Amino acid sequence: GAVVSQHPSRVICKSGTSVKIECRSLDFQATTMFWYRQFPKQSLMLMATSNEGSKATYEQGVEKDKFLINHASLTLSTLTVTSAHPEDSSFYICSAKGPFDSNQPQHFGDGTRLSIL
Amino acid sequence: GNSVTQMEGPVTLSEEAFLTINCTYTATGYPSLFWYVQYPGEGLQLLLKATKADDKGSNKGFEATYRKETTSFHLEKGSVQVSDSAVYFCALRNSGGYNKLIFGAGTRLAVHP
């Protein structure tokens, strides 16, 4: 089945550091990728939707300058948390879908746990 | 707007007990409905789905039927195992746009031997 790889799985870094998270589709072309944030014991909150080669669409309340999304190829999207602070600590999950499977579900990565000290 | 409401957890069961996790939705049009499972420290895995009214999704002993008249998609399993302990998310996806998923709050299931 379709596989989405997310890297790294865990990041611990100091406040003020910028952190990049990668999301790769391993066996299909991901024309659309989604980035979610999940707080402990809560549901997933969609942060943004990105289409290959175009600017990401951010959900209301998500700072686009804080959470930079790049989707430069059909197999890779990156989320960069700029100048991260402790309140940015969370579990970030990406998902991806291909171009012709409007009735098929998104395929999720295993998530990245970000801890800012 | 579109929304998904799940029963609150945690749900605690003994092994081999019957499981029901309720899910109701509000949506315009004809959404597709999904159940995802999240094991500790991991991302989400699709458990089952249904794309139209009266469809029944099933996988690994879990079932859910798309009920348009009651706008529900309740998850059931006849006999749970300890390995089923996880968080279960009900979700809907409307057609059009970028096919965004809208998730319920999640229900934590704990199964004891």
Side-chain angles (χ1 to χ4, degrees), chain A residues 45-48 58-67:
Chain A
M45 180 191 77
L46 179 64
M47 299 173 66
Y58 288 82
E59 295 298 302
Q60 192 171 8
V62 179
E63 299 177 60
K64 58 181 67 176
D65 294 331
K66 175 75 171 176
F67 299 100

Side-chain angles (χ1 to χ4, degrees), chain A residues 32-36 46 48-49 93-95 97 106, chain B residues 98-99:
Chain A
T32 306
M33 285 189 171
F34 304 85
W35 287 96
Y36 296 86
L46 179 64
T49 303
I93 305 175
C94 73
S95 70
K97 66 183 292 290
Q106 298 170 19
Chain B
Y98 295 128
N99 297 145

Side-chain angles (χ1 to χ4, degrees), chain A residues 96-110:
Chain A
K97 66 183 292 290
F100 302 117
D101 59 354
S102 60
N103 285 327
Q104 297 301 312
Q106 298 170 19
H107 307 288
F108 284 82
D110 281 341

Side-chain angles (χ1 to χ4, degrees), chain A:
Chain A
V3 177
V4 173
S5 172
Q6 199 172 329
H7 178 80
S9 59
R10 187 176 184 96
V11 180
I12 302 173
C13 57
K14 294 181 179 179
S15 185
T17 306
S18 290
V19 179
K20 180 184 284 189
I21 302 170
E22 293 186 347
C23 182
R24 292 182 185 272
S25 58
L26 299 185
D27 55 0
F28 68 102
Q29 293 184 330
T31 50
T32 306
M33 285 189 171
F34 304 85
W35 287 96
Y36 296 86
R37 182 172 181 177
Q38 186 181 30
F39 291 101
K41 299 185 179 181
Q42 294 188 26
S43 190
L44 279 72
M45 180 191 77
L46 179 64
M47 299 173 66
T49 303
S50 72
N51 284 293
E52 184 265 338
S54 60
K55 289 185 178 180
T57 302
Y58 288 82
E59 295 298 302
Q60 192 171 8
V62 179
E63 299 177 60
K64 58 181 67 176
D65 294 331
K66 175 75 171 176
F67 299 100
L68 300 179
I69 292 171
N70 183 283
H71 190 170
S73 79
L74 285 171
T75 59
L76 174 65
S77 176
T78 60
L79 167 66
T80 301
V81 183
T82 61
S83 186
H85 292 285
E87 59 267 27
D88 299 323
S89 298
S90 192
F91 194 55
Y92 293 87
I93 305 175
C94 73
S95 70
K97 66 183 292 290
F100 302 117
D101 59 354
S102 60
N103 285 327
Q104 297 301 312
Q106 298 170 19
H107 307 288
F108 284 82
D110 281 341
T112 297
R113 184 162 302 285
L114 175 61
S115 300
I116 307 298
L117 305 177

